[in-house]
Every structure is written in structure tokens, then in C-alpha cells.
Amino acid sequence: MDTAEIRRRFVSHFEAAGHTAVPSASLLADDPNLLFVPAGMVPFKPYFLGQETPPYTRATSVQKCVRTPDIEDVGKTTRHGTFFEMCGNFSFGDYFKEGAIELAWDLITKPVADGGFGLDESRLYPSVLIGDDEAVGFWRKVTGLPDERIVRLGRKENYWSMGVPGPGGPCSEILYDRGPAWGPDFDPATLGPDMPVALEDRLLEFWNLVFMQDELSAVRSKEDFDIAGSLPKKNIDTGMGLDRVAFLLQGKQNMYEIDVMFPVIERAMELSGKKYGANHEDDVRFRVVADHVRSSMMLIGDGVTPGNEGRGYVLRRLLRRAVRSMRLLGYDDRALPELMPVSRDKMAETYSDLSRDWDRIARVAYAEEDAFRKTLQAGTQIFDLAAQEVRSSGETRLSGAKAFALHDTYGFPIDLTLEMASEAGLSVDEDGFRGLMAEQRQRAKDDARSKKGQHADTGVYRGILDEHGPTEWLAYETLQTESKALALLSGGAPATVLAQGDIGELVLDRTPFYAESGGQVADAGTIEFDGGRLEVLDVQRPVRGLVVHQVRVVDGEFHPGSRLLAQVDPEWRTGARQAHSGTHVVHAALREVLGPSALQSGSYNRPGYLRLDFGWTTGLSEQQVRDLETVSNNALRADLPVGWQYMTLPEAKEWGAIALFGETYDDSKVRVVEIGGPWSRELCGGTHVEHSSQIGTIVITGESSVGSGNRRIEALTGVEGFGYLARERDVVAQLTGLLKTQPDDLVGRVGDLVERLRQAEKEIEKARVGQLLAAAGQLAASAVDVNGVQVVAHRADGAGGGDVRTLALDVRGRLPQGAPGAVVIIGAADGKVSVVAAVNDLARERGVSANDLVRAVGPLVGGKGGGKDDVAQGGGTDTSRIDEALAAAVATVSNA
């Protein structure tokens, strides 16, 4: 049974049982504590917490998921991967334990001919949390299994949470006995509280039924957490691993051999000439390739681009590990163009967006591989230098610090360092390397933990929402409302008063203020009360449905009991509308100029300014930027109508609306903003103008890179755009006045001046070098005899590195022929010290080495350096010890 059929049967089974089929959400989690969606329930979290009312009481989905804690262990076991699909069914206050057990057992044991999976009941073992006698009773009732077939396990195995504060509850796993070939015999009645490691491959857990009933306030580990209380309703959240069921039903040994994974391994075998199953180390590499190619493709498909932090860094690691693994398998050419289309062809049977968006996905992935191949080339050169240093010092081991620097600074994988060290007859201090890696990971964890701590505890906001209900949000309808204060907070705690100058948080029953979202900043304005006024500093939605205003008391003393007049600054809102609509116009123009694969990956807009990030691997030419600006302003001149309407997400996609990567949209309805009909249709909750001409103007002020495969457009709109053009006009007027020319001739006139300046600089440089070389003869004539070696040790103030080298070589060439000679020149310019030593052949025969001279001088001037025996150079930052360093150079010659 292929994977697509398993997925179809799962959804059909639950649809027949009254569940609403919900499409997979993006892999990018709408949660400050999560980089990616790690479980099928994450998109439903607001329903489980009671923050929102679900539009259905039963749902089913096949959710795309990514888990990244142990990327380096992928492939070493055959049970875990990075990307996976979680088949789930969910109940929001509807059925509970008995219903979940009935539905699961029916699907997995029902004959294949009747639409089920047909698993052998004699191989199935349910597990429950120790002490959950209710679940044990339901398993016996539904399945008829004897008590001894039901495994009791502890919290580590049978209590579920997301690892962060939120919903959780006891769970019941369904285990499949794969037989004695996969582990020792066992007695299910004596297992627990932890599942023995020896049985993890034999008793394969493939479906987890979570009885979600608790709200957790802290999660320190799987077994150590605090339960804040009960959820508003008892819910069901189940997760069946699609890949695991696939290899059971397809008769394969592991997830890497199923129909959507193994074709990539087959292609990797063809490219590398290696065979899967012949060698454990190669098998791990094949599995890494299969997993990481698919995972990377799915992440790029959802809008992630390679970068140095967060989601982008995870993607970069996955892509580079895949490329590295192919190299270790013996394939050195570009690998992703050969492998990723194979994964696309299998996954696109379900995720058709992969085919439609393939040009963009391929461009991002292949550009990252090309960049990494250059890194490997540079890293190889750096490794060669490091290996040479090790050998020259008489050692045979590369330090952990050097291996870590190769990895951390140059992106050079430790596997390649080990491989190349072995080829060079060296070993590597792996313990030292892994110790430094562990320190780095701990720093990253501490940083992530500190950042999580910065997110306000949402409990107080949920309490306000539970007590008063959602805020009546009127930002689309009006700029002014009469409102009532529902809650006042100061420092995150309830307050009764704010004095003049104090800052606090205010919740109103109704508000006209736009809360920051979708790249648009919050509105500015005021809230007036009897006897005073509040300035609105920020507006946020800490929990869905609740709008919170950060305010400062400008006049008076504020008590929450008074009636209020909330007023948005109209000029601010006008500028914000212009910028947000301008962002949509620039996005549409970008696709017109570059093609449909140039899709927005992020945006930010405030009054008069917009910033748009988009996936693209090369910089835009000047002509492309001009074309982009022209198309945008032509759309403004055309006075295109701007409108919006609500529809379901499938309807919006059918209509051709573009959804911003990583954004989470309401299941029941989305808002589609349209500019000029089909020219621009995007899902958006921002505020907009009514006609494109109201944007005023769009002036592009910048185009730049913001990471591999991602570019950024910056522009000004409205009055700010006109102001920018006016300032440029003033600059042109000032220049034409200074140069006594007309605006049309300005570029040519400035070009002539620049050329004349360049020629003058060349003449000055020529004269300076002449003076420098003229001094070379005098320096050579002043050489002193040091144990038979003619030595010049000279301080050249004002001379930089290039000049110092030129002077040293020229002086060496002017020393008496037939006599040993050594030259050391130390220059000082702009607070930096440059050292160059040059010796002739006869001096080298006497044991005088330029490299030794620089090494003797370098530490004294606060630096280091080195080179060959005939010429070496270095530098430093301590100009106060130059004379002492010259004396040390002379002493080194004397001791040679």
C-alpha cells in the first residue's frame, strides 16, 4: 500500500466518522517558542487552550512536521527523521478516551478490502500511563484484549506535551510487535515504567492517542512539569506517523525504504557507485541524503531560505549535510540537481505546490549547494595550511580548537576534516572538538531559553479574555471609538492607576487601533479620558481575540473606570495604508519584472516606508530596479481599484490569491486584498488605500542581499517618497551650481573631475614610490656588519604593508653582491604595524631565515606573521615597541 493511499484511507476513515478534513498548515510555526511545527496538533493549539472557538468539534489532518533537536543523529537510527507527516484526528470537547480508542482500533484492524490497514491484532499492544485505569478499561472493552496485553508505562513514555507551556495530557500508544528478529522476547505485563531500549525496534510505536486534559505552566523535561489546571474542555489529539505505518504496510525494514524515500537513495547509489546495505557508514550517509533532501525541499517550499540563524540556519545545515554526505560517498559533482527532482516527483503527488513553485525551490537549493562547494574549496586550503603547521611543529594531531574553527568559521564539516586528516597521516582531537561544540550548543540553548523568557506570560491576558470576551476590533471601519477600559496592567500585573509619565497596558472593550501584524506596524494615536490623555505607544495581540494597548500618561492621572475616546492619528494611518498597499504593488511589479517565482518571503511597512524580502539568488541589475519602479508607478497612475473580500482558504487559493510564507490563516475565512483585479491578489489583514493612486508615489531606495537566496527591496511612499525626490533635486541643484553646468551635463562633468582626480592620484603615487625607492639606495649603503651579514634594520613611519614590502625587496637587491644580506623594515601607518623581512641566498646559507626574523619581531609589536625563508611578513598594533623590535631582529641575525 503506497504512502498516498495510506494518507487517503486515514482521512476518509475519519471523514466518514464526522470529522472535518483540514489541510496541512505551513511548517513555519505561528508560535514564539517554536521554529517549526513539530506535531499535528500545533495548528489547533488555540482551540485546545480555549483561546478560540473551533469551527468544528471533530477534525482530521495530515500535517507536515519538522523536528530538529538531533539532526546529527539522523540516519544513525532508522526510526527518526527530520521531516515527517503526522496523521491526526482531533476532538474539541466532543468524544474522549473511549471514542479515540474505538476509531483508531477500527482503522488499523479493519481488512484492507474494507478500507482499513488490516494489521494483525495479535501483534498489537496498547500502552497506557501508569495509573490510568480508565484507559485500561476502555481498551479491554473496545478490543477484547486481556489485561496482560496492555502495557503500563511512566510519564516519559505516556504523557504528552509540546515541551513548552501549553496543553498536555496522558496518552496511550499503539505498539506493533515486529517479531523476534527485531529484539528479545518480552512479557508485556512486566514492562515499565520505561520501555527497554532493547525493545524499541521490536515494539514499534506508530500511533499516539493523547487524552488532552491539562494545561501545563512549565515543562522542564518529559517527566518533570507543572500542571496549572484543567483545560476548559477535554480534548483528543492523536498522531499516527505516516512513514512508520508505510514501512509496516509495505513490508520494508525502515522509513528510508518506503516509496517516497527510497528513490532518492537509488539515485544516490547510481551517482556514487556505492550500494545501500553493504556498509553501515555508507548506509547512514544514504539515509541522511534521503531525509535531508526531502526535508530541505519541503522547508524551501514553505518559504524558508538558507541563513545563519533560526530557520534559515536549520535549512542551511540540512542542505550542506546532504551535499557533504554525497561527497563522503565519493560523489564530488553537484548533487542536489540530481537528487531533489526525484524527491519532488514523489512528494508532489500530494503537495502539488512543489511542482508549481519548483523554479524558486530549485534556485534556492542549488545556489546554496554552489556556495557550499566554494566553502569546501576554501576550507580545504585552510585545512592544508593547518596540517602544514602541525607537521612543521613535529606533531601528528590537529587540535580540537583548529577543527572547531574550520567548522564554525568556515563551515567545514568535521567528517571531512577527519577524512582529510587521515589522508594526511594526521589524527584529530575529536574530544576537544566535541567539547567546544557542546559549549556552543549550550550557549545556543541558553540564548534560546532567555529569548523564550522574554515572551510575556500569556496567562494574565487569557484571564482577561475569559472574563470579558474578545475585543471589538474596528480598525477597518473607523479611526475613533468611545470605549470602556476593561483591564489595566503595569509591569505585567493588574493595576488601578497610572500617574503622569507612567507606562502601562490597557485593554478596551472596542478599539479603532490596528494591532501590529502582517508586517504592518501598530497605529499611533491618543486615548482621552476625563481630565487627561494617554499616548498610544504600541498595540499588540498577545492572545488571539484580545487587543492590548501600551500607553503612556501624558496628562492627568488615569483610573480605568472613566469613559474613553480612542483616536487613531489620521496622518499616521494614511501613511501606513499607503505603505502597505505599496508593498502589494511592488510585490506584483516584482513578479511582472522577474517572473512568477519571485515571491515575497517577508515584509515590514510603516508610514511612508516599505521593505519587501523575496526569494532570489542574484542581485537585481540597475535596469531591473528601474523597471520595477516604473511598473509600480504605472500601476499608481492607472488608479487601480483596491478591494477586499472574505472567503475560505481553499477558495482564496483557487482564486489565485498569494499567501505569505509562514503566516497562519484562519481555517474558516481569510481576507483577500485585490489591487487591479487579478494583477495583485494576496491574503492580508492590513489596512489599505481605496485606489492605487492614493499611494502617491513609490521611490525605490535600495536593493540588497539579506542572506543566501534572499533579497530585499526598500522604498518610500506618499509624502516621504516626494520628500526623498525633492532632496535629490536639491543635491542636483547644488552640484550644478558648484560646477557651473546644466543638470543634463552633470554626470559627464563629475565623470571628468573624477578622472582628473584619478590621474592626479596616480602622479602623486608615482612620486611617492620614487621617493621611497630613492631612499633604498641610502639604506643599502648604511648596512651594518653583524657576524659577517650585511644587515639593514629600518623604521619607516607612514608606510603601509605594500610600501614596506616594496622597500624591503628593493633594499635587499641593492646590498653588496657576493655578501650575505638581511633586511628588516618595520612600517607604521594609521596605528598599524607592518613587518617585512627579506634575506638573500648567502644569508640563508649562513642560517638566517626571513621567517625567523618576522617571528622574533611579531610578538613585540603585538602581532604575528611568517612566510618563507627568503621573504616573510607580519603585522601588529603596538607602535611603541618598533625600535625594540628592530633590535630583536638584529640580535636574531647575530645568533643565527
Side-chain angles (χ1 to χ4, degrees):
M1 187 182 299
D2 65 29
T3 304
E5 176 62 14
I6 297 170
R7 186 188 294 108
R8 188 197 65 78
R9 288 184 179 224
F10 184 91
V11 174
S12 296
H13 173 76
F14 285 100
E15 279 188 308
H19 293 65
T20 298
V22 179
S24 174
S26 167
L27 282 168
L28 281 58
D30 182 24
D31 187 313
N33 295 307
L34 299 172
L35 282 180
F36 304 109
V37 171
M41 60 74 60
V42 172
F44 303 104
K45 183 179 173 182
Y47 304 152
F48 289 125
L49 287 172
Q51 297 172 354
E52 294 183 24
T53 302
Y56 30 66
T57 58
R58 300 181 176 198
T60 185
S61 70
V62 181
Q63 173 64 42
K64 299 179 292 185
C65 301
V66 164
R67 292 181 184 170
T68 60
D70 302 307
I71 287 179
E72 293 183 1
D73 293 327
V74 168
K76 296 176 182 177
T77 73
T78 58
R79 291 178 288 106
H80 298 91
T82 310
F83 170 85
F84 60 98
E85 295 173 89
M86 187 66 77
C87 303
N89 59 285
F90 309 93
S91 165
F92 309 105
D94 190 3
Y95 61 84
F96 198 49
K97 292 182 181 180
E98 183 175 7
I101 293 170
E102 286 178 343
L103 288 165
W105 190 256
D106 181 44
L107 176 61
I108 62 178
T109 59
K110 187 164 49 180
V112 171
D114 296 334
F117 294 154
L119 292 177
D120 184 353
E121 292 187 21
S122 67
R123 293 192 167 204
L124 297 173
Y125 292 82
S127 73
V128 300
L129 180 67
I130 293 173
D132 191 353
D133 296 332
E134 183 181 40
V136 172
F138 287 136
W139 274 113
R140 288 201 304 258
K141 176 183 175 182
V142 170
T143 66
L145 293 175
D147 189 75
E148 58 269 18
R149 281 279 298 279
I150 301 171
V151 180
R152 276 78 162 177
L153 298 174
R155 278 186 168 188
K156 181 179 178 181
E157 304 288 345
N158 278 87
Y159 193 96
W160 186 92
S161 76
M162 292 194 304
V164 296
C171 60
S172 185
E173 296 178 339
I174 305 178
L175 313 172
Y176 183 86
D177 181 8
R178 302 173 70 191
W182 295 94
D185 290 336
F186 62 94
D187 179 358
T190 62
L191 294 178
D194 297 331
M195 176 65 70
V197 174
L199 284 175
E200 286 183 349
D201 281 327
R202 176 166 180 171
L203 281 179
L204 183 74
E205 178 264 311
F206 67 92
W207 201 341
N208 190 11
L209 314 180
V210 179
F211 310 133
M212 198 173 292
Q213 60 192 42
D214 303 324
E215 182 170 356
L216 309 185
S217 59
V219 181
R220 292 169 290 276
S221 71
K222 287 182 68 67
E223 301 173 79
D224 183 15
F225 47 82
D226 296 334
I227 298 177
S230 299
L231 293 172
K233 296 180 180 179
K234 291 184 176 181
N235 308 302
I236 287 295
D237 155 36
T238 85
M240 186 191 83
L242 181 61
D243 292 342
R244 292 192 179 187
V245 174
F247 77 72
L248 289 179
L249 296 182
Q250 292 173 17
K252 304 299 183 181
Q253 294 190 354
N254 58 65
M255 59 177 285
Y256 295 98
E257 299 176 11
I258 64 176
D259 59 315
V260 294
M261 294 280 276
F262 198 67
V264 176
I265 293 179
E266 289 179 316
R267 181 61 181 143
M269 284 193 287
E270 294 172 2
L271 296 172
S272 66
K274 300 287 184 67
K275 185 174 178 60
Y276 181 73
N279 175 283
H280 174 69
E281 289 187 356
D282 285 347
D283 286 355
V284 171
R285 292 163 185 158
F286 279 122
R287 291 193 286 263
V288 167
V289 168
D291 174 86
H292 287 6
V293 165
R294 182 172 73 152
S295 301
S296 301
M297 178 182 69
M298 300 304 293
L299 286 172
I300 298 171
D302 274 4
V304 183
T305 54
N308 292 324
E309 58 184 23
R311 294 163 175 155
Y313 181 64
V314 172
L315 173 60
R316 173 162 286 167
R317 285 188 67 198
L318 293 172
L319 287 168
R320 293 188 170 195
R321 279 173 56 83
V323 173
R324 177 201 68 192
S325 295
M326 286 300 295
R327 177 187 169 94
L328 294 176
L329 286 167
Y331 185 75
D332 293 333
D333 292 335
R334 297 176 81 218
L336 295 181
E338 300 290 339
L339 299 170
M340 198 166 277
V342 178
S343 186
R344 171 204 61 196
D345 292 344
K346 299 305 297 184
M347 297 303 294
E349 296 174 7
T350 300
Y351 301 103
S352 57
D353 287 352
L354 294 174
S355 294
R356 288 195 297 269
D357 202 17
W358 181 247
D359 288 345
R360 180 188 63 83
I361 295 170
R363 186 171 60 248
V364 171
Y366 301 167
E368 180 63 20
E369 177 174 15
D370 291 341
F372 184 47
R373 285 168 61 82
K374 292 178 182 177
T375 295
L376 289 178
Q377 183 178 3
T380 299
Q381 295 172 351
I382 295 164
F383 172 84
D384 290 341
L385 289 174
Q388 182 180 345
E389 288 182 9
V390 171
R391 284 192 291 264
S392 64
S393 65
E395 300 290 332
T396 60
R397 193 181 201 195
L398 191 71
S399 71
K402 182 64 70 173
F404 179 75
L406 282 165
H407 168 85
D408 192 53
T409 305
Y410 303 103
F412 208 61
I414 183 62
D415 290 359
L416 284 181
T417 300
L418 291 170
E419 177 188 33
M420 293 174 64
S422 177
E423 292 172 356
L426 302 174
S427 62
V428 178
D429 178 10
E430 290 188 66
D431 291 340
F433 169 81
R434 301 196 187 284
L436 290 169
M437 284 294 294
E439 290 178 14
Q440 185 188 61
R441 287 196 194 97
Q442 189 59 48
R443 286 194 299 270
K445 288 180 180 178
D446 292 343
D447 181 58
R449 194 176 295 118
S450 68
K451 289 179 179 178
K452 284 183 184 181
Q454 292 171 8
H455 296 295
D457 182 3
T458 59
V460 64
Y461 302 119
R462 285 202 294 271
I464 296 170
L465 182 64
D466 291 342
E467 182 178 354
H468 299 287
T471 305
E472 185 181 358
W473 189 63
L474 301 171
Y476 295 150
E477 288 81 25
T478 183
L479 297 178
Q480 178 176 300
T481 62
E482 290 188 0
S483 305
K484 181 175 67 175
L486 300 179
L488 180 66
L489 303 175
S490 178
T496 58
V497 63
L498 290 180
Q500 186 167 326
D502 286 351
I503 294 176
E505 291 179 302
L506 179 63
V507 179
L508 306 177
D509 62 338
R510 59 206 309 259
T511 181
F513 284 89
Y514 183 84
E516 180 180 2
S517 65
Q520 180 177 332
V521 299
D523 278 333
T526 60
I527 299 175
E528 296 182 357
F529 61 93
D530 187 17
R533 181 165 55 94
L534 306 173
E535 178 187 6
V536 177
L537 305 176
D538 192 15
V539 188
Q540 297 289 334
R541 284 192 178 93
V543 294
R544 292 186 183 183
L546 193 72
V547 177
V548 178
H549 310 73
Q550 185 185 62
V551 296
R552 177 172 53 211
V553 182
V554 178
D555 297 310
E557 184 177 81
F558 177 68
H559 298 268
S562 56
R563 295 294 300 178
L564 309 172
L565 180 63
Q567 303 174 97
V568 175
D569 181 341
E571 291 297 322
W572 179 280
R573 173 66 73 80
T574 296
R577 293 166 66 209
Q578 290 174 322
H580 204 151
S581 295
T583 304
H584 286 226
V585 168
V586 172
H587 189 200
L590 193 65
R591 299 196 305 277
E592 186 171 319
V593 172
L594 299 182
S597 61
L599 290 173
Q600 178 179 335
S601 58
S603 69
Y604 171 80
N605 45 77
R606 64 173 186 264
Y609 170 84
L610 69 87
R611 184 181 75 207
L612 184 148
D613 296 344
F614 63 101
W616 204 253
T617 55
T618 59
L620 273 58
S621 67
E622 291 183 5
Q623 185 60 51
Q624 286 174 320
V625 173
R626 284 196 296 270
D627 291 345
L628 177 59
E629 192 173 67
T630 298
V631 171
S632 297
N633 282 292
N634 283 341
L636 271 55
R637 185 176 64 179
D639 196 27
L640 301 175
V642 180
W644 46 85
Q645 55 183 296
Y646 292 91
M647 60 189 70
T648 66
L649 185 57
E651 288 172 340
K653 291 183 176 180
E654 181 70 22
W655 207 40
I658 296 173
L660 181 63
F661 289 128
E663 287 289 325
T664 300
Y665 300 99
D666 192 283
D667 293 326
S668 58
K669 62 179 180 179
V670 294
R671 183 174 183 254
V672 179
V673 175
E674 180 183 63
I675 301 178
W679 187 68
S680 171
R681 285 175 177 160
E682 297 190 33
L683 274 63
C684 180
T687 60
H688 290 272
V689 299
E690 295 176 353
H691 291 270
S692 62
S693 60
Q694 294 172 342
I695 298 171
T697 188
I698 292 176
V699 181
I700 295 177
T701 59
E703 189 277 332
S704 60
S705 170
V706 285
S708 176
N710 220 23
R711 308 293 300 179
R712 172 170 292 172
I713 295 289
E714 295 181 271
L716 298 175
T717 60
V719 173
E720 285 76 6
F722 286 117
Y724 179 88
L725 295 175
R727 289 190 296 274
E728 286 200 331
R729 179 193 61 197
D730 292 343
V731 170
V732 171
Q734 293 176 41
L735 289 174
T736 54
L738 287 171
L739 299 176
K740 308 299 183 184
T741 188
Q742 296 298 313
D744 289 345
D745 300 328
L746 184 60
V747 173
R749 185 83 170 89
V750 172
D752 290 341
L753 287 174
V754 170
E755 181 58 30
R756 288 165 60 185
L757 180 61
R758 186 179 294 116
Q759 291 300 324
E761 288 175 340
K762 287 182 178 179
E763 291 299 322
I764 293 171
E765 176 66 12
K766 183 177 179 181
R768 191 185 61 77
V769 171
Q771 289 181 328
L772 187 68
L773 296 181
Q778 297 176 355
L779 289 174
S782 68
V784 296
D785 187 290
V786 179
N787 289 342
V789 179
Q790 298 297 304
V791 177
V792 174
H794 175 69
R795 174 175 183 152
D797 289 327
D803 292 339
V804 171
R805 184 180 180 89
T806 300
L807 182 59
L809 294 176
D810 194 35
V811 171
R812 184 183 65 175
R814 294 172 182 264
L815 291 174
Q817 300 297 311
V823 179
V824 178
I825 306 293
I826 303 180
D830 300 324
K832 296 181 180 179
V833 178
S834 301
V835 181
V836 176
V839 302
N840 62 20
D841 293 341
L842 292 175
R844 292 202 303 277
E845 292 175 3
R846 292 280 300 273
V848 179
S849 164
N851 188 43
D852 291 342
L853 290 172
V854 170
R855 288 181 179 272
V857 168
L860 295 175
V861 294
K864 58 183 179 179
K868 298 180 180 179
D869 289 341
D870 59 340
V871 180
Q873 65 186 63
T877 56
D878 189 353
T879 59
S880 67
R881 303 182 68 187
I882 290 179
D883 293 337
E884 182 182 348
L886 290 170
V890 174
T892 301
V893 175
S894 177
N895 295 328

